[in-house]
Amino acid sequence: MQEKAKQSLMTRFKILTKNVPDSQNEEELRNVLRSITFPEEIEVCDQVKEFAGKTELYIGNGKDMAADRLALQKILKGFTVLADSDEEEETSSRNVKYKIAALKSLVVYVPSTLLYGGTEILEMPGTNDSDPLAMNFIQDALDDVEVLLLLSEYGFRLTGREVRDCLKNSSFIKQWIKDPHNYKLMFRSYPEKNLIYQFGAKDGEKIEKIMQEEDKKKEEEFQKFKDLLQPVHLPSEIKQKIFFSTLLPVLHSSILSLEGDPRDILEKNNAFLKNTGIELLIKEIDQITLQRKKDIISEVIFL
């Protein structure tokens, strides 16, 4: 992890500063980094100076949630994904590269009951070794969060080494082991990219069968997680403090998007909605929020 942190720092340094030697030699660059003692010695490049210290605001009109969501998706993509590097996109790609490297945070405000009481959801980029800029952000985030929801396509036992390294070396795991009541760890798999997990109106029995196999899957997931943390000893009761389950968000959102009376849709598809895992996830997040805010709630009731 230390080597990955150094790689991330060097990548960001080469993009944002004038201190980089013309030769781009790695050893020379390391020497430059070692020679810097004070922040004032770092020369930020002119492209970054144009937007450094600024905040950009984008506000939806709140009349069409679908349109706002698509517009937001496009805006976020513009701050996080490099354009194709053909001639027409070359200048734009360079500018986006500077912004991505220098970006401090992206904050999205939405009207959601999940966020009542000051709850914040921090979405981290995928743990991809090809993007060293992301690795540093992920590691920093894992040192500050109180609840971790790890999403993977097929489950924790099949996640990549980068995920395991980040998790094992994070301050979050240390805090969670010490205080599993106030720090929550959740593993969720969302296998809907695979055709056999793409369901329709006639697949109720298939979904129920998947959910019936959850207990077996949970045992396998926990054992893999326990092996990862060796030689750290996990108390037996901590097993109940980890949540493993399958999510089917595409199916869930597809049902909620159906045309017609919402009450009729919910009643007709109640069995499907219960088995997508989304309601259970929301319930867990609500309980976590309530647990974290119980002192404030008690104070309000007392007053």
Side-chain angles (χ1 to χ4, degrees), residues 226-243:
K226 188 176 179 181
D227 293 344
L228 170 71
L229 296 185
Q230 293 293 344
V232 177
H233 173 70
L234 291 179
S236 57
E237 64 271 14
I238 210 169
K239 184 177 181 180
Q240 305 303 319
K241 302 298 181 180
I242 312 178
F243 302 92

PDB file of all heavy atoms in Angstrom, residues 226-243:
ATOM      1  N   LYS A 226     -12.570 -13.455   6.991  1.00  0.00           N
ATOM      2  CA  LYS A 226     -11.800 -13.826   8.180  1.00  0.00           C
ATOM      3  C   LYS A 226     -10.370 -14.199   7.799  1.00  0.00           C
ATOM      4  O   LYS A 226      -9.409 -13.824   8.478  1.00  0.00           O
ATOM      5  CB  LYS A 226     -12.485 -15.003   8.875  1.00  0.00           C
ATOM      6  CG  LYS A 226     -11.896 -15.373  10.219  1.00  0.00           C
ATOM      7  CD  LYS A 226     -12.707 -16.498  10.868  1.00  0.00           C
ATOM      8  CE  LYS A 226     -12.103 -16.904  12.205  1.00  0.00           C
ATOM      9  NZ  LYS A 226     -12.879 -18.019  12.822  1.00  0.00           N
ATOM     10  N   ASP A 227     -10.213 -14.930   6.693  1.00  0.00           N
ATOM     11  CA  ASP A 227      -8.875 -15.308   6.208  1.00  0.00           C
ATOM     12  C   ASP A 227      -8.055 -14.075   5.834  1.00  0.00           C
ATOM     13  O   ASP A 227      -6.844 -14.030   6.055  1.00  0.00           O
ATOM     14  CB  ASP A 227      -8.985 -16.237   4.995  1.00  0.00           C
ATOM     15  CG  ASP A 227      -9.586 -17.594   5.359  1.00  0.00           C
ATOM     16  OD1 ASP A 227      -9.620 -17.918   6.562  1.00  0.00           O
ATOM     17  OD2 ASP A 227     -10.039 -18.308   4.447  1.00  0.00           O
ATOM     18  N   LEU A 228      -8.738 -13.075   5.273  1.00  0.00           N
ATOM     19  CA  LEU A 228      -8.050 -11.852   4.861  1.00  0.00           C
ATOM     20  C   LEU A 228      -7.392 -11.145   6.035  1.00  0.00           C
ATOM     21  O   LEU A 228      -6.271 -10.638   5.926  1.00  0.00           O
ATOM     22  CB  LEU A 228      -9.045 -10.899   4.179  1.00  0.00           C
ATOM     23  CG  LEU A 228      -8.534  -9.482   3.903  1.00  0.00           C
ATOM     24  CD1 LEU A 228      -7.492  -9.490   2.795  1.00  0.00           C
ATOM     25  CD2 LEU A 228      -9.682  -8.549   3.536  1.00  0.00           C
ATOM     26  N   LEU A 229      -8.054 -11.137   7.179  1.00  0.00           N
ATOM     27  CA  LEU A 229      -7.577 -10.370   8.327  1.00  0.00           C
ATOM     28  C   LEU A 229      -6.555 -11.113   9.188  1.00  0.00           C
ATOM     29  O   LEU A 229      -6.080 -10.569  10.181  1.00  0.00           O
ATOM     30  CB  LEU A 229      -8.757  -9.953   9.203  1.00  0.00           C
ATOM     31  CG  LEU A 229      -9.772  -9.001   8.565  1.00  0.00           C
ATOM     32  CD1 LEU A 229     -10.812  -8.589   9.573  1.00  0.00           C
ATOM     33  CD2 LEU A 229      -9.085  -7.783   7.971  1.00  0.00           C
ATOM     34  N   GLN A 230      -6.231 -12.324   8.830  1.00  0.00           N
ATOM     35  CA  GLN A 230      -5.219 -13.073   9.592  1.00  0.00           C
ATOM     36  C   GLN A 230      -3.919 -12.268   9.670  1.00  0.00           C
ATOM     37  O   GLN A 230      -3.531 -11.628   8.688  1.00  0.00           O
ATOM     38  CB  GLN A 230      -4.946 -14.418   8.917  1.00  0.00           C
ATOM     39  CG  GLN A 230      -6.115 -15.378   8.956  1.00  0.00           C
ATOM     40  CD  GLN A 230      -6.435 -15.845  10.373  1.00  0.00           C
ATOM     41  OE1 GLN A 230      -5.637 -15.695  11.294  1.00  0.00           O
ATOM     42  NE2 GLN A 230      -7.612 -16.426  10.537  1.00  0.00           N
ATOM     43  N   PRO A 231      -3.230 -12.242  10.821  1.00  0.00           N
ATOM     44  CA  PRO A 231      -3.471 -13.017  12.042  1.00  0.00           C
ATOM     45  C   PRO A 231      -4.391 -12.331  13.058  1.00  0.00           C
ATOM     46  O   PRO A 231      -4.437 -12.749  14.210  1.00  0.00           O
ATOM     47  CB  PRO A 231      -2.063 -13.168  12.608  1.00  0.00           C
ATOM     48  CG  PRO A 231      -1.400 -11.888  12.239  1.00  0.00           C
ATOM     49  CD  PRO A 231      -1.960 -11.509  10.883  1.00  0.00           C
ATOM     50  N   VAL A 232      -5.100 -11.269  12.641  1.00  0.00           N
ATOM     51  CA  VAL A 232      -6.009 -10.595  13.569  1.00  0.00           C
ATOM     52  C   VAL A 232      -7.140 -11.538  13.957  1.00  0.00           C
ATOM     53  O   VAL A 232      -7.769 -12.172  13.101  1.00  0.00           O
ATOM     54  CB  VAL A 232      -6.592  -9.325  12.925  1.00  0.00           C
ATOM     55  CG1 VAL A 232      -7.599  -8.665  13.870  1.00  0.00           C
ATOM     56  CG2 VAL A 232      -5.473  -8.353  12.581  1.00  0.00           C
ATOM     57  N   HIS A 233      -7.385 -11.648  15.254  1.00  0.00           N
ATOM     58  CA  HIS A 233      -8.446 -12.530  15.751  1.00  0.00           C
ATOM     59  C   HIS A 233      -9.771 -11.780  15.790  1.00  0.00           C
ATOM     60  O   HIS A 233      -9.860 -10.683  16.332  1.00  0.00           O
ATOM     61  CB  HIS A 233      -8.106 -13.046  17.146  1.00  0.00           C
ATOM     62  CG  HIS A 233      -9.229 -13.817  17.779  1.00  0.00           C
ATOM     63  ND1 HIS A 233      -9.619 -15.064  17.335  1.00  0.00           N
ATOM     64  CD2 HIS A 233     -10.054 -13.498  18.813  1.00  0.00           C
ATOM     65  CE1 HIS A 233     -10.626 -15.493  18.068  1.00  0.00           C
ATOM     66  NE2 HIS A 233     -10.904 -14.571  18.974  1.00  0.00           N
ATOM     67  N   LEU A 234     -10.806 -12.394  15.214  1.00  0.00           N
ATOM     68  CA  LEU A 234     -12.134 -11.817  15.248  1.00  0.00           C
ATOM     69  C   LEU A 234     -12.990 -12.550  16.278  1.00  0.00           C
ATOM     70  O   LEU A 234     -13.128 -13.773  16.206  1.00  0.00           O
ATOM     71  CB  LEU A 234     -12.801 -11.933  13.876  1.00  0.00           C
ATOM     72  CG  LEU A 234     -12.231 -11.082  12.750  1.00  0.00           C
ATOM     73  CD1 LEU A 234     -13.002 -11.345  11.460  1.00  0.00           C
ATOM     74  CD2 LEU A 234     -12.275  -9.612  13.095  1.00  0.00           C
ATOM     75  N   PRO A 235     -13.554 -11.846  17.234  1.00  0.00           N
ATOM     76  CA  PRO A 235     -14.439 -12.501  18.198  1.00  0.00           C
ATOM     77  C   PRO A 235     -15.644 -13.107  17.484  1.00  0.00           C
ATOM     78  O   PRO A 235     -16.114 -12.583  16.473  1.00  0.00           O
ATOM     79  CB  PRO A 235     -14.854 -11.355  19.133  1.00  0.00           C
ATOM     80  CG  PRO A 235     -14.547 -10.107  18.396  1.00  0.00           C
ATOM     81  CD  PRO A 235     -13.419 -10.403  17.473  1.00  0.00           C
ATOM     82  N   SER A 236     -16.153 -14.226  17.986  1.00  0.00           N
ATOM     83  CA  SER A 236     -17.222 -14.959  17.318  1.00  0.00           C
ATOM     84  C   SER A 236     -18.482 -14.116  17.114  1.00  0.00           C
ATOM     85  O   SER A 236     -19.158 -14.231  16.095  1.00  0.00           O
ATOM     86  CB  SER A 236     -17.566 -16.222  18.120  1.00  0.00           C
ATOM     87  OG  SER A 236     -17.931 -15.875  19.448  1.00  0.00           O
ATOM     88  N   GLU A 237     -18.780 -13.237  18.088  1.00  0.00           N
ATOM     89  CA  GLU A 237     -20.010 -12.454  17.981  1.00  0.00           C
ATOM     90  C   GLU A 237     -19.957 -11.402  16.870  1.00  0.00           C
ATOM     91  O   GLU A 237     -20.982 -10.880  16.451  1.00  0.00           O
ATOM     92  CB  GLU A 237     -20.335 -11.771  19.317  1.00  0.00           C
ATOM     93  CG  GLU A 237     -19.315 -10.733  19.790  1.00  0.00           C
ATOM     94  CD  GLU A 237     -18.220 -11.372  20.635  1.00  0.00           C
ATOM     95  OE1 GLU A 237     -18.103 -12.615  20.630  1.00  0.00           O
ATOM     96  OE2 GLU A 237     -17.502 -10.614  21.291  1.00  0.00           O
ATOM     97  N   ILE A 238     -18.752 -11.114  16.391  1.00  0.00           N
ATOM     98  CA  ILE A 238     -18.631 -10.073  15.380  1.00  0.00           C
ATOM     99  C   ILE A 238     -19.203 -10.529  14.039  1.00  0.00           C
ATOM    100  O   ILE A 238     -19.511  -9.715  13.170  1.00  0.00           O
ATOM    101  CB  ILE A 238     -17.150  -9.643  15.207  1.00  0.00           C
ATOM    102  CG1 ILE A 238     -17.072  -8.171  14.782  1.00  0.00           C
ATOM    103  CG2 ILE A 238     -16.424 -10.530  14.181  1.00  0.00           C
ATOM    104  CD1 ILE A 238     -15.680  -7.596  14.846  1.00  0.00           C
ATOM    105  N   LYS A 239     -19.376 -11.830  13.885  1.00  0.00           N
ATOM    106  CA  LYS A 239     -19.961 -12.363  12.653  1.00  0.00           C
ATOM    107  C   LYS A 239     -21.362 -11.795  12.418  1.00  0.00           C
ATOM    108  O   LYS A 239     -21.786 -11.604  11.272  1.00  0.00           O
ATOM    109  CB  LYS A 239     -20.016 -13.888  12.733  1.00  0.00           C
ATOM    110  CG  LYS A 239     -20.528 -14.563  11.472  1.00  0.00           C
ATOM    111  CD  LYS A 239     -20.485 -16.069  11.622  1.00  0.00           C
ATOM    112  CE  LYS A 239     -20.975 -16.771  10.376  1.00  0.00           C
ATOM    113  NZ  LYS A 239     -20.934 -18.243  10.514  1.00  0.00           N
ATOM    114  N   GLN A 240     -22.074 -11.530  13.507  1.00  0.00           N
ATOM    115  CA  GLN A 240     -23.419 -10.979  13.386  1.00  0.00           C
ATOM    116  C   GLN A 240     -23.407  -9.488  13.044  1.00  0.00           C
ATOM    117  O   GLN A 240     -24.472  -8.915  12.779  1.00  0.00           O
ATOM    118  CB  GLN A 240     -24.179 -11.191  14.707  1.00  0.00           C
ATOM    119  CG  GLN A 240     -24.228 -12.629  15.173  1.00  0.00           C
ATOM    120  CD  GLN A 240     -24.832 -13.565  14.139  1.00  0.00           C
ATOM    121  OE1 GLN A 240     -25.819 -13.222  13.496  1.00  0.00           O
ATOM    122  NE2 GLN A 240     -24.249 -14.749  13.994  1.00  0.00           N
ATOM    123  N   LYS A 241     -22.228  -8.897  13.062  1.00  0.00           N
ATOM    124  CA  LYS A 241     -22.106  -7.470  12.780  1.00  0.00           C
ATOM    125  C   LYS A 241     -21.675  -7.185  11.345  1.00  0.00           C
ATOM    126  O   LYS A 241     -21.365  -6.050  11.002  1.00  0.00           O
ATOM    127  CB  LYS A 241     -21.110  -6.823  13.756  1.00  0.00           C
ATOM    128  CG  LYS A 241     -21.477  -6.989  15.220  1.00  0.00           C
ATOM    129  CD  LYS A 241     -22.803  -6.320  15.530  1.00  0.00           C
ATOM    130  CE  LYS A 241     -23.145  -6.467  17.011  1.00  0.00           C
ATOM    131  NZ  LYS A 241     -24.446  -5.827  17.328  1.00  0.00           N
ATOM    132  N   ILE A 242     -21.626  -8.233  10.517  1.00  0.00           N
ATOM    133  CA  ILE A 242     -21.320  -8.060   9.096  1.00  0.00           C
ATOM    134  C   ILE A 242     -22.556  -8.459   8.305  1.00  0.00           C
ATOM    135  O   ILE A 242     -23.221  -9.442   8.621  1.00  0.00           O
ATOM    136  CB  ILE A 242     -20.140  -8.942   8.639  1.00  0.00           C
ATOM    137  CG1 ILE A 242     -18.965  -8.817   9.595  1.00  0.00           C
ATOM    138  CG2 ILE A 242     -19.696  -8.554   7.244  1.00  0.00           C
ATOM    139  CD1 ILE A 242     -17.790  -9.691   9.225  1.00  0.00           C
ATOM    140  N   PHE A 243     -22.852  -7.685   7.274  1.00  0.00           N
ATOM    141  CA  PHE A 243     -24.033  -7.966   6.471  1.00  0.00           C
ATOM    142  C   PHE A 243     -23.611  -8.391   5.069  1.00  0.00           C
ATOM    143  O   PHE A 243     -22.951  -7.645   4.348  1.00  0.00           O
ATOM    144  CB  PHE A 243     -24.924  -6.718   6.399  1.00  0.00           C
ATOM    145  CG  PHE A 243     -25.363  -6.225   7.743  1.00  0.00           C
ATOM    146  CD1 PHE A 243     -24.626  -5.262   8.422  1.00  0.00           C
ATOM    147  CD2 PHE A 243     -26.503  -6.729   8.344  1.00  0.00           C
ATOM    148  CE1 PHE A 243     -25.022  -4.810   9.672  1.00  0.00           C
ATOM    149  CE2 PHE A 243     -26.906  -6.281   9.598  1.00  0.00           C
ATOM    150  CZ  PHE A 243     -26.165  -5.333  10.251  1.00  0.00           C
TER     151      PHE A 243
END
